[in-house]
Structures are given as C-alpha cells and as structure tokens.
Amino acid sequence: MIEDIELIFDSSIRLAATLLLAGLGELIAERAGTINISIEGMLLSGAFGAAYGSHVTGSATTGLIIGSLVGLFVGLGQANLSHRLKVNQFIIGLVINFFVLGVTSFLAAELSFRPIRFGILEIPLISSIPILGSLFSQRTPFFLLFILVPLTWWLLYKTRWGLEIRSVGEDPEAAAISGVPVLKRRRQAIYICGLLSGLAGSYLSIGHVGSFTPNMTALRGFVVIAAVILGGWRVKGAVAGCLLFGGVEALRVSLPALGVTLFPQLLISLPYLAALLTLTVIGRSNRQPKELGKDFDDQL
C-alpha cells in the first residue's frame, strides 16, 4: 500500500513540475492582463530546443538553457505582435501554437538526434523519508522550483516591478497616468512567461521523458492556464492547481500499473475533464484581474 502511494505521489510531482514551471510564467502574464494562449507553443518549442540542443552540445544543462531561450523567442513574437503591432492576442496565440507544432513536427522527422537526459539528484537523508522523500530525489531541473516559486511570489508582491505588473492588469489607465509603461510591462510579463515555459518544455523532454516526440506537450499549455485560473491568480493557488492536475494525470498513468482497468479513452481524457469540471465548479468564484484579456491603447 505504501509503495503504491509513493508511486502515485512521485508521478504526481514529476508531472506537476512541468505544469508549475510554465504556470509561474502564465501567472505573471495574466496578472499583467494578458491571457497567453501561445504558452502551448512555448512549451513545445522549448521541449524541442532542449532535446536537439542537448544532442548537439552533448550537455543536458546547455540543452536546458537553449530550450528556455527558444521559449523566450516565442514569447518575443507573442508580446511584440500583440502589444506593439496590436494584433489580437488570442488569434496570434493560436497561430503561434499551430506554427510551432508544424515546425517542430517537421524538424523531428527530418533530423536525427538523441537527447542527453539529466541524471537523478538525491538529497542525502531527506530523500529516504517515506513518500515525501520523493520531493528530494528528482532529476536536477526539478529543484529549480524550490527557487522559482518563492522568487515569483517575491517579484509579484514585494517589488515595485511586481506592483506595476499587477496595476496594469487591474487598471491600466490609472497605471499609465501614474507613469507606468503599460504595454512595456505586459511585454515583459510575456517574456518571462516564454522563458519559464521554455524551461518547462525543456524539463519535459530532457528531464522527465528523455526524448522528443511531435506534439509531446499534448495541450498541457491549456491545462496550465486552467490551473492558474483555478488558483485564483495567486502563487499558492497556482501551485495547488498544478499539483491537482499533475495528480490526476499521475492517476491516468498509474492506474493500469496498479491493476485498475478503465476505458483507455477515459484515462486519456482525465486531466482535461478535471480541468473542465474544476473550472466550472470553482473557477467562476475567483476574481480575475479586471483587465485580463483586454487590449490597451497607449495613445489614449
């Protein structure tokens, strides 16, 4: 029984790590007033960049950096097209997602590469604790979460920059009158989202899975958006939401191994059904940033 719980818990936190790395970036973007639909493309491009980069350089660490920068590059496109050229942020997000899916699928078919996977890092003594010890016996990029979660909270709530980010998501007109560069702050938030989503995709390909396959993110970007909304646009809420969806996906993976048989189609759809149900029941009660998803004309 303990072994089964440890298996599910370990799977849950590993699967949640990808969601949470991207979720921290999406949280910042949405607090600034932008629903970053292109997060799926950021994840997928980061996964490919890390896998191919680690093969070319022979270093998983370098691959992780390359994947993160590729995600940032996608974020640059999303931010500047939507907040500098004033292209509809939802349309450009969907276009970027389809473009990245096509390009990465083509490159994966044309190129032959073998990604370098991160090894497992164990913290002595702590990693041997039953169940919870899994938190301290993971592949190296996982431990970045212990830094990034409190860092995101500090940036959003304890710095002037974070105050400005939150203000442009709540009342951009008042922020602009106060001298805050609204569109610049929104672009910066998307840049951070791209960087962290690229990092999340990198963790998925060369940390968690150890390979790259076309469309391997499998709509995880939209699950990330659901987790941020479910968490009420707060850091602790986003952490809880990502853990919830990671746990649901872990059940999907672990149930057959535990001898529980369900319809395969039902198992595949479990994370998305959970996202839909929780948003329907809980998500509506959370107050979103007032200007979330709304364009702002800096010429006013």
Side-chain angles (χ1 to χ4, degrees):
M1 183 64 178
I2 295 296
E3 291 78 7
D4 293 343
I5 295 175
E6 287 181 338
L7 172 64
I8 294 175
F9 180 75
D10 182 58
S11 297
S12 297
I13 59 175
R14 284 189 286 107
L15 292 166
T18 298
L19 302 179
L20 184 52
L21 285 168
L24 294 173
E26 180 65 19
L27 171 65
I28 293 173
E30 294 199 16
R31 289 308 298 260
T34 300
I35 299 179
N36 188 27
I37 301 297
S38 63
I39 189 171
E40 178 73 12
M42 295 172 178
L43 279 165
L44 187 58
S45 62
F48 176 82
Y52 187 70
S54 67
H55 166 79
V56 171
T57 63
S59 168
T61 301
T62 305
L64 187 77
I65 295 171
I66 292 173
S68 301
L69 292 177
V70 172
L72 173 60
F73 180 77
V74 175
L76 286 169
Q78 167 74 45
N80 286 282
L81 286 170
S82 59
H83 294 304
R84 195 184 292 274
L85 299 182
K86 307 298 179 63
V87 180
N88 183 279
Q89 58 184 282
F90 300 103
I91 294 176
I92 193 60
L94 291 174
V95 170
I96 287 175
N97 288 340
F98 285 118
F99 177 75
V100 170
L101 175 60
V103 169
T104 54
S105 297
F106 171 77
L107 292 176
E110 292 296 316
L111 299 174
S112 177
F113 56 96
R114 187 186 299 272
I116 306 298
R117 192 181 189 186
F118 276 99
I120 294 177
L121 176 63
E122 293 188 356
I123 307 300
L125 299 179
I126 305 177
S127 60
S128 61
I129 299 174
I131 302 178
L132 293 179
S134 297
L135 282 169
F136 306 98
S137 179
Q138 296 291 333
R139 299 193 182 274
T140 307
F142 177 89
F143 293 95
L144 291 173
L145 286 170
F146 291 99
I147 300 172
L148 291 173
V149 171
L151 179 61
T152 300
W153 176 86
W154 178 78
L155 281 174
L156 276 176
Y157 297 105
K158 296 297 180 180
T159 66
R160 180 180 178 82
W161 182 85
L163 176 62
E164 292 180 353
I165 285 290
R166 289 181 285 126
S167 69
V168 301
E170 292 290 341
D171 194 340
E173 288 81 8
I177 292 172
S178 301
V180 177
V182 175
L183 297 184
K184 181 179 180 180
R185 290 291 176 266
R186 288 185 172 182
R187 289 196 299 271
Q188 289 172 347
I190 296 176
Y191 299 158
I192 292 175
C193 184
L195 185 67
L196 290 177
S197 297
L199 176 62
S202 301
Y203 170 77
L204 179 64
S205 63
I206 62 174
H208 178 50
V209 178
S211 63
F212 178 84
T213 55
N215 196 28
M216 70 181 300
T217 52
L219 300 180
R220 281 182 173 88
F222 295 98
V223 175
V224 168
I225 295 174
V228 171
I229 296 173
L230 176 63
W233 294 273
R234 298 185 299 271
V235 174
K236 63 180 180 181
V239 172
C242 291
L243 287 174
L244 171 64
F245 293 132
V248 172
E249 189 171 356
L251 284 175
R252 176 183 71 81
V253 175
S254 302
L255 285 178
L258 297 176
V260 179
T261 55
L262 293 172
F263 293 111
Q265 295 84 355
L266 177 61
L267 285 175
I268 293 172
S269 65
L270 269 181
Y272 312 106
L273 287 175
L276 179 62
L277 290 174
T278 51
L279 285 177
T280 301
V281 175
I282 301 173
R284 292 181 301 175
S285 63
N286 292 327
R287 192 187 73 79
Q288 68 181 40
K290 290 182 180 179
E291 297 299 307
L292 181 62
K294 298 179 182 180
D295 294 327
F296 175 74
D297 188 351
D298 57 355
Q299 302 301 316
L300 293 177

